């Protein structure tokens, strides 16, 4: 079989090779994966990813700035017991969704999430998936800018020994809107313009280091708390079932690594579904312990008074926490261009498909479009971040969308894959898998609808 990627413009049942498909597929790979398409019999390619390496990459893709919101999620869910039970229950669907995606990728011979959905489920689901990826990455970029502003406020307050907040009466150059804008223009915008990015591995390593350091600090501060950190009320049960569901967006946002999982699977030396099942199970268990450590200890330290961004609950002059804030800022500064890169690639693919053009036929206009897309994306995310100062409100919106990547699209893929099997007599396992796919789609649609409606009518309209 010739090396290459299945064309992104091809229809289900007509999988032709496309010159521009490989470029777009490569753009949407996990930031820390250098995938080289393997021909038949090249399982031992030294450039491919080992099983242990795949575990690390999936953990890397899963862990991120979303962990800052987990203590608040425990508060929303109604305590430690409810938060732990909810995460463990959702982990079953999260792992099974990752396995389903690998199965469908192998069956359709596609190498990215959106192309697998396109091939297995058809045009409508494929387009909806690509639009969802673009919206999700756009919302995540907004959350990243808000995180930068949150951490900078604390660091500046500590350095200048000034009171915090928009009404603190500080200098104009310490104003939150100015500091976010300046940081974004100097660091983020230049990194977002190039057609390719070569710092993915370094950014990913930095993100992992920062995440583990934040978790360690939260746990240490719970075991040896400062005198001024006295928790308020600590609930032990949910206020209502709806409160439990309202905690789901944070969990979905934190564990969402499904979009980058398909390229990781295809980058393995031996991309087998059974091996992949062990990889994602080990990776999700590691991520679970990190999120539980941060969520439980952060929640028990501050109780219901915990901020949506847990680092904001700590004093500004706490040096170890200040280092954690610096790590998070550096991580977010390098993660924003990667997320923008993925969103821009999806928009470019949608545009080229609409115009019926190949990438190589439109190089000059591609450069202009890229500059226009980058400037528009950057300005819109910056403006929204300046006027939506609460990261919890953003996560409540994009967390519901993350549920689609975890539940809805994998469920649709499983249903369609089983329905396409030509068997006169359907065994019991067939009916069980189809029923499970229906359950995933139903649950994902409910989480998306309920959390999105709650975010719009409660959070954003408040």
């Amino acid at each position: 079989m010739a090396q290459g990627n299945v064309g992104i413009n091809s229809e289900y049942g007509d999988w032709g090779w496309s010159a521009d498909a490989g470029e777009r597929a490569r753009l949407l790979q996990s930031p820390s994966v250098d995938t080289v398409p393997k021909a038949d019999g090249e399982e031992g390619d030294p450039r491919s990813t080992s099983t242990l390496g795949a575990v690390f990459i999936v953990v890397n893709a899963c862990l991120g700035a979303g962990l800052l919101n987990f203590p608040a999620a425990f508060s929303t869910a109604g305590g430690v017991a409810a938060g732990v039970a909810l995460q463990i229950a959702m982990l079953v669907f999260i792992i099974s969704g990752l396995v389903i995606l690998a199965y469908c990728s192998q069956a359709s011979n596609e190498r990215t999430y959106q192309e697998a959905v396109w091939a297995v489920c058809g045009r409508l689901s494929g387009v909806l998936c690509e639009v969802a990826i673009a919206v999700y990455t756009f919302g995540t970029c907004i959350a990243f800018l808000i995180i930068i502003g949150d951490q900078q406020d604390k660091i500046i307050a500590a350095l200048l020994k000034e009171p915090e907040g928009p009404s603190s009466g500080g200098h104009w150059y310490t104003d939150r809107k100015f500091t976010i804008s300046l940081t974004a223009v100097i660091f983020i915008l230049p990194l977002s313009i190039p057609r390719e990015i070569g710092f993915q591995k370094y950014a990913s390593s930095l993100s992992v280091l920062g995440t583990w350091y934040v978790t360690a600090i939260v746990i240490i501060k719970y075991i040896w708390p400062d005198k001024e950190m006295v928790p308020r009320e600590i609930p032990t049960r949910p206020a209502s079932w709806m409160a439990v569901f309202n905690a789901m967006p944070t969990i979905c946002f934190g564990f969402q690594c499904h979009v980058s999982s398909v390229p990781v699977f295809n980058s393995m030396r031996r991309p087998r579904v059974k091996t992949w099942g062990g990889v994602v199970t080990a990776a999700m268990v590691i991520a679970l312990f990190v999120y539980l450590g941060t969520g439980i200890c952060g929640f028990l330290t501050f109780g219901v008074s915990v901020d949506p961004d847990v680092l904001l609950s700590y004093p500004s002059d706490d040096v170890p926490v200040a280092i954690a804030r610096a790590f998070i800022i550096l991580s977010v500064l390098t993660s924003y261009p990667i997320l923008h890169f993925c969103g821009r690639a999806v928009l470019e693919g949608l545009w080229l498909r609409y115009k019926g053009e190949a990438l190589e036929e439109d190089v000059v206009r591609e450069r202009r479009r890229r500059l226009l897309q980058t400037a528009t994306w950057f300005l819109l995310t910056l403006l929204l971040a300046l006027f939506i100062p609460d990261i919890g409100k953003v996560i409540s919106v994009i967390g519901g969308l993350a549920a689609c990547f975890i539940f809805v699209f994998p469920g649709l893929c499983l249903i369609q894959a089983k329905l396409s099997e030509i068997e006169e007599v359907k065994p019991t396992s067939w009916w069980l898998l189809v029923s499970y796919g229906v359950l995933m789609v139903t649950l994902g649609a409910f989480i998306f609808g309920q959390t999105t409606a709650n975010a719009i009518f409660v959070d954003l309209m408040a």
Side-chain angles (χ1 to χ4, degrees):
M1 185 176 66
Q3 292 186 12
N5 288 71
V6 177
I8 195 172
N9 296 330
S10 56
E11 295 288 340
Y12 178 64
D14 184 22
W15 300 334
W17 299 101
S18 170
D20 65 318
E23 172 71 10
R24 284 198 299 280
R26 187 186 60 75
L27 293 179
L28 288 171
Q29 289 175 170
S30 174
S32 56
V33 182
D34 291 329
T35 302
V36 178
K38 296 185 287 291
D40 291 341
E42 290 187 3
E43 288 186 348
D45 192 332
R47 294 170 293 180
S48 56
T49 307
S50 65
T51 301
L52 185 61
V55 172
F56 174 78
I57 293 170
V58 175
V59 172
N60 180 2
C62 182
L63 296 178
L67 112 154
L68 299 176
N69 198 235
F70 266 73
F74 273 80
S75 179
T76 302
V80 173
V84 172
L86 183 61
Q87 287 192 54
I88 293 176
M90 291 187 66
L91 209 63
V92 175
F93 294 98
I94 291 167
I95 293 173
S96 61
L98 290 166
V99 174
I100 291 168
L101 290 169
Y103 169 78
C104 291
S105 170
Q106 196 171 64
S108 64
N109 201 29
E110 297 287 4
R111 303 181 66 86
T112 65
Y113 185 103
Q114 71 279 6
E115 288 182 340
V117 173
W118 181 281
V120 175
C121 300
R123 174 187 293 272
L124 178 60
S125 296
V127 171
L128 288 176
C129 179
E130 292 182 333
V131 171
I133 291 174
V135 175
Y136 179 82
T137 53
F138 182 82
T140 306
C141 287
I142 297 173
F144 284 169
L145 291 174
I146 294 173
I147 290 171
I148 290 174
D150 289 342
Q151 310 312 324
Q152 284 181 332
D153 285 348
K154 287 283 190 176
I155 293 175
I156 291 172
L159 292 176
L160 302 181
K161 294 181 171 56
E162 293 181 347
E164 303 166 31
S167 59
S168 59
H171 302 288
W172 61 269
Y173 52 82
T174 64
D175 182 77
R176 177 190 178 93
K177 291 184 174 62
F178 175 77
T179 57
I180 294 177
S181 301
L182 182 65
T183 303
V185 170
I186 292 177
F187 295 103
I188 292 178
L189 183 58
L191 295 176
S192 301
I193 293 175
R195 183 178 176 183
E196 298 181 3
I197 44 179
F199 57 86
Q200 300 99 320
K201 285 186 175 180
Y202 305 104
S204 299
S205 301
L206 184 64
S207 178
V208 170
L209 180 61
T211 300
W212 283 94
Y213 182 81
V214 170
T215 300
I217 288 298
V218 171
I219 294 174
I220 291 171
K221 289 295 180 181
Y222 167 67
I223 298 175
W224 295 287
D226 297 336
K227 293 181 180 179
E228 61 269 25
M229 293 192 305
V230 179
R232 289 178 55 189
E233 176 190 355
I234 300 179
T236 57
R237 64 180 62 185
S240 65
W241 281 108
M242 297 307 292
V244 176
F245 283 111
N246 289 337
M248 286 186 174
T250 297
I251 298 174
C252 291
F253 180 69
F255 282 97
Q256 198 291 114
C257 57
H258 295 58
V259 173
S260 58
S261 69
V262 178
V264 178
F265 169 72
N266 285 287
S267 76
M268 294 178 64
R269 293 173 188 167
R270 296 176 177 82
R272 297 169 182 167
V273 175
K274 185 176 180 180
T275 304
W276 179 248
V279 167
V280 296
T281 299
M284 291 303 103
V285 170
I286 294 172
L288 175 66
F289 279 105
V290 173
Y291 284 135
L292 287 179
T294 306
I296 293 174
C297 294
F299 168 67
L300 293 179
T301 301
F302 300 103
V304 295
S305 64
V306 66
D307 279 283
D309 180 340
V310 67
L311 291 182
L312 298 184
S313 298
Y314 294 95
S316 300
D317 56 357
D318 191 312
V319 175
V321 176
I323 296 173
R325 294 189 180 106
F327 266 122
I328 290 296
I329 290 175
L330 290 173
S331 173
V332 168
L333 285 175
T334 53
S335 296
Y336 179 108
I338 293 173
L339 267 294
H340 162 258
F341 203 62
C342 294
R344 189 179 70 198
V346 170
L347 294 176
E348 182 74 356
L350 287 169
W351 174 257
L352 291 175
R353 189 184 301 111
Y354 173 75
K355 298 289 288 185
E357 299 174 347
L359 189 67
E360 289 76 6
E361 299 172 0
D362 200 23
V363 175
V364 176
R365 282 179 290 177
E366 182 277 333
R367 187 178 298 110
R368 291 192 216 131
R369 274 200 318 273
R370 172 160 43 88
L371 293 175
L372 179 61
Q373 290 168 352
T374 300
T376 303
W377 182 290
F378 175 79
L379 290 174
L380 287 176
T381 54
L382 178 59
L383 287 174
L384 289 171
L386 295 179
F387 294 98
I388 307 176
D390 186 351
I391 185 181
K393 294 182 178 181
V394 178
I395 290 180
S396 64
V397 175
I398 60 178
L401 197 57
C404 294
F405 300 129
I406 295 174
F407 295 92
V408 177
F409 291 118
L412 289 174
C413 286
L414 178 60
I415 294 170
Q416 189 59 43
K418 301 309 291 183
L419 290 177
S420 65
E421 293 180 359
I422 304 175
E423 294 183 8
E424 294 184 3
V425 180
K426 309 296 184 185
T428 303
S429 60
W430 187 93
W431 291 102
L432 289 174
L433 289 173
V434 171
S435 299
Y436 186 70
V438 172
L439 175 62
M440 290 186 70
V441 173
T442 304
L443 183 58
F446 175 78
I447 295 173
F448 172 75
Q450 192 273 332
T451 55
T452 303
N454 182 76
I456 293 173
F457 292 108
V458 176
D459 292 336
L460 298 185
M461 296 299 181

